[in-house]
Amino acid sequence: MKLVLLGAPGSGKGTQAEKLSALLGIPTISTGAIIREHINGKTELGLKAAGYIAEGQLVPDELIIDIVINRLNQDDCKDGYILDGFPRTIPQAEAAERLGLNIDKVLDIFVPDEAIVDRLSGRRECRICRTPFHTIYNAPSIPGVCDKCGGELIRRADDEPETIKKRLAVYHAETEPLEDFYRERGILTVVEGRKKIEDTTRDVREALGL
């Protein structure tokens, strides 16, 4: 399966992508995680991307597309993949089609803006392996410690309230139009992001026929 996940920041895409990846045996390609690796490594791309992210803006299309294409050419993607964070704009989606990245299904996880702000205030991420957690909805066994690798859990700078509001505004302007783009192609499915992760997971599996 070649799957795209849509949804506003904090809608639960990362958590559901992780569960689908384990279920289907295919990798999740998170452009956000890849970009943060570049930022932490202080690469040329990371330095360029950091400025955009700090302001709640999208990284330019040409940088994102290069990252994604290089990643999808790796062997572990030959049987399918889950794209989380790409495409984020109509031009990115059009470029993906031109490059032959045929998508089987697009899943949009909908959560109202006010709920997004509440959710992101408790979101945490492992400093080492980038596994996502939440202090309420997906709490680690030991507070502040990653269940997967034992790394320190941190709050991302782009989860600050003012930055969240900017990111939501950008999402509605730049990414939300993808719903109609994929609806016209007959491959869009929308599910509600519920408070309990297991409820959302159940709805996601049902929507995808899994």
Side-chain angles (χ1 to χ4, degrees):
M1 179 182 291
K2 297 177 181 178
L3 174 67
V4 167
L5 292 186
L6 294 180
S11 61
K13 296 192 307 299
T15 298
Q16 294 305 320
E18 185 178 90
K19 292 180 178 299
L20 287 170
S21 177
L23 177 67
L24 298 171
I26 56 177
T28 294
I29 311 302
S30 170
T31 53
I34 296 173
I35 289 170
R36 286 191 292 277
E37 288 176 5
H38 281 277
I39 291 174
N40 292 335
K42 292 181 170 46
T43 66
E44 181 179 356
L45 172 61
L47 294 174
K48 290 179 180 179
Y52 292 98
I53 293 174
E55 293 298 322
Q57 301 298 313
L58 296 177
V59 177
D61 289 348
E62 60 269 20
L63 299 180
I64 294 294
I65 291 170
D66 284 345
I67 290 173
V68 172
I69 294 303
N70 288 335
R71 179 65 183 86
L72 296 184
N73 284 332
Q74 296 182 20
D75 288 343
D76 63 340
C77 293
K78 63 182 179 180
D79 294 325
Y81 44 79
I82 301 166
L83 289 171
D84 173 10
F86 178 89
R88 283 191 175 183
T89 64
I90 296 292
Q92 286 183 5
E94 292 173 340
E97 289 188 342
R98 289 195 302 271
L99 292 168
L101 299 181
N102 298 318
I103 303 302
D104 297 318
K105 294 184 180 180
V106 177
L107 179 71
D108 179 25
I109 302 176
F110 171 76
V111 179
D113 283 6
E114 52 271 25
I116 291 288
V117 175
D118 289 341
R119 284 187 179 192
L120 292 185
S121 64
R123 191 162 71 167
R124 300 293 184 270
E125 179 182 77
C126 177
R127 185 187 297 276
I128 297 174
C129 72
R130 306 302 174 190
T131 298
F133 291 89
H134 194 282
T135 56
I136 297 174
Y137 304 121
N138 185 30
S141 300
I142 301 174
V145 179
C146 176
D147 288 345
K148 190 172 182 179
C149 74
E152 177 190 6
L153 300 185
I154 60 174
R155 182 179 183 179
R156 287 162 37 183
D158 54 352
D159 283 341
E160 295 297 330
E162 287 307 311
T163 302
I164 292 169
K165 292 176 182 178
K166 291 181 181 179
R167 293 172 67 202
L168 287 171
V170 169
Y171 177 82
H172 292 310
E174 302 287 344
T175 305
E176 204 166 59
L178 286 171
E179 294 176 15
D180 286 337
F181 181 89
Y182 287 117
R183 186 177 287 113
E184 290 174 358
R185 285 152 176 75
I187 58 174
L188 177 72
T189 299
V190 181
V191 299
E192 180 181 351
R194 302 180 183 275
K195 288 185 177 181
K196 292 185 177 181
I197 291 176
E198 56 267 29
D199 291 339
T200 303
T201 300
R202 181 195 63 236
D203 292 348
V204 164
R205 292 187 61 171
E206 181 177 341
L208 296 176
L210 300 175

